[in-house]
Amino acid sequence: MNEKHLTYADSGVDIEKEESTIKALTNGMTYKREGLGAPLTSIGHYAGLIDFGEYALAMATDGVGSKVLIANEMKRWNTVGIDCIAMNVNDLLAIGAEPISFVDYLALEKHSDDFASQIGEGLVKGAEISRMSIVGGETATLPEIVNGFDLAGTCLGMVKKDEVITGEKVQLGDVLVGIPSDGVHSNGYTLVRNIVKESRHSYHEDFSYATETTLGDELLIPTRIYMEVLDVIKECDVHGLAHITGSGLLKLKRVTDLGFDFTDPIEPGNIFKFLQEEGNVDELEMYRTFNMGMGFLIILPEEDAEKAAEMTGGKIVGKIVESGIRVRDLQIV
């Protein structure tokens, strides 16, 4: 175990400074198109919506982040394409939109056919899970800018205007249904890599909690794609949705000004226990950085909660309260 408490900010990612940068970037974005194509939501939700007649078109853009550095270390790149699509698709699902098409952006230091084939393998798998087409993309060779590679993409989805879910229907007493994650997903990897770097461990050694896999392979498990959420929306009265990504539970402030009380949270998997122990990371820092075993959240009336949990393999984890975000006795906000 590291003697000092490792943090996301000390590792190089300061969430508060990042939020300040986003505000500085978007404050001047005041022009808005009118008529067909006019924005239907303000900047800051999981996806942007634009007017398209009876429908709203939803757009999201995201990348894999520094998880690609572990893929480079393991020389295995066939899962990061799934991550790229998942990070985008899950953001569309968090506003109630169905994904329909995707374009990718691959920036390279140098070319390799085997590498490119593996990237393509993951993108195809992610597109199949998401039931959407990859309709194009861009490959840029940038040896003076990129060290290794960066993979990102943009996803287009659609939803009928009267079926958009932004969280405005969330009310006191609504129940929280959490859906398990498949590990760390694609967030917090700057802290992950710092923990491994400061520890005695190697990505190539057996993962101490499961010797049938290596630590690197455990950390490359691709992000889960939550397409079953669309079925829940059809059959239940969903009031709000959240994709739990970077900054952990802090992102719930996007959904509602009301509070979240997680009285029975999903038990974090062994990879989170490993990271917390090896990095001597505070519990609060863990929940403000990682998904901690819950990758998606559905907010709905109590009478629909059990059904939603059964449909998604999730469970009831808490309820909506007046203010704050709490996990048992731990105050997140």
Side-chain angles (χ1 to χ4, degrees), residues 39-264:
L40 298 174
T41 52
S42 58
I43 295 173
H45 213 290
Y46 285 99
L49 292 176
I50 59 174
D51 188 346
F52 208 70
E54 179 186 356
Y55 286 86
L57 292 183
M59 296 184 69
T61 190
D62 207 342
V64 183
S66 64
K67 187 174 184 175
V68 301
L69 296 176
I70 299 177
N72 284 342
E73 175 67 27
M74 300 299 292
K75 298 192 183 307
R76 184 165 72 80
W77 303 281
N78 64 341
T79 60
V80 291
I82 301 174
D83 288 304
C84 184
I85 285 182
M87 294 304 293
N88 283 278
V89 166
N90 289 340
D91 277 357
L92 292 190
L93 296 174
I95 208 163
E98 179 180 2
I100 55 176
S101 62
F102 188 86
V103 293
D104 64 272
Y105 175 75
L106 177 62
L108 301 163
E109 179 184 12
K110 59 183 179 180
H111 291 277
S112 164
D113 288 350
D114 176 58
F115 161 81
S117 177
Q118 290 193 44
I119 293 291
E121 179 185 337
L123 288 170
V124 168
K125 181 65 174 177
E128 289 176 350
I129 296 170
S130 307
R131 304 192 295 270
M132 67 175 182
S133 305
I134 298 176
V135 295
E138 171 70 11
T139 301
T141 309
L142 304 169
E144 295 177 300
I145 299 176
V146 174
N147 180 15
F149 78 100
D150 186 30
L151 179 63
T154 298
C155 192
L156 179 68
M158 65 179 187
V159 57
K160 287 186 176 180
K161 285 180 182 176
D162 60 356
E163 296 177 2
V164 171
I165 299 171
T166 60
E168 60 186 25
K169 291 173 62 179
V170 174
Q171 56 190 329
L172 289 174
D174 277 351
V175 172
L176 310 176
V177 173
I179 312 178
S181 65
D182 287 341
V184 186
H185 283 183
S186 297
N187 300 102
Y189 274 79
T190 300
L191 177 55
V192 168
R193 291 183 300 103
N194 194 27
I195 291 170
V196 176
K197 178 183 176 182
E198 294 286 331
S199 75
R200 67 185 186 279
H201 298 284
S202 160
Y203 294 117
H204 299 278
E205 69 181 46
D206 288 345
F207 177 44
S208 55
Y209 282 88
T211 54
E212 68 275 8
T213 187
T214 66
L215 175 58
D217 286 335
E218 183 73 19
L219 290 168
L220 285 179
I221 293 173
T223 306
R224 179 173 171 178
I225 299 174
Y226 295 94
M227 292 297 288
E228 60 270 37
V229 168
L230 293 177
D231 296 324
V232 175
I233 292 171
K234 291 176 183 176
E235 298 193 27
C236 301
D237 182 21
V238 176
H239 289 178
L241 299 161
H243 177 203
I244 313 302
T245 60
S247 68
L249 297 181
L250 295 178
K251 286 280 177 66
L252 295 177
K253 293 184 291 184
R254 288 181 172 185
V255 180
T256 179
D257 291 331
L258 292 171
F260 297 77
D261 187 11
F262 293 93
T263 53
D264 187 22

Side-chain angles (χ1 to χ4, degrees), residues 300-311:
L300 70 180
E302 184 176 4
E303 57 266 26
D304 286 336
E306 288 288 355
K307 183 176 183 179
E310 184 178 344
M311 291 176 69

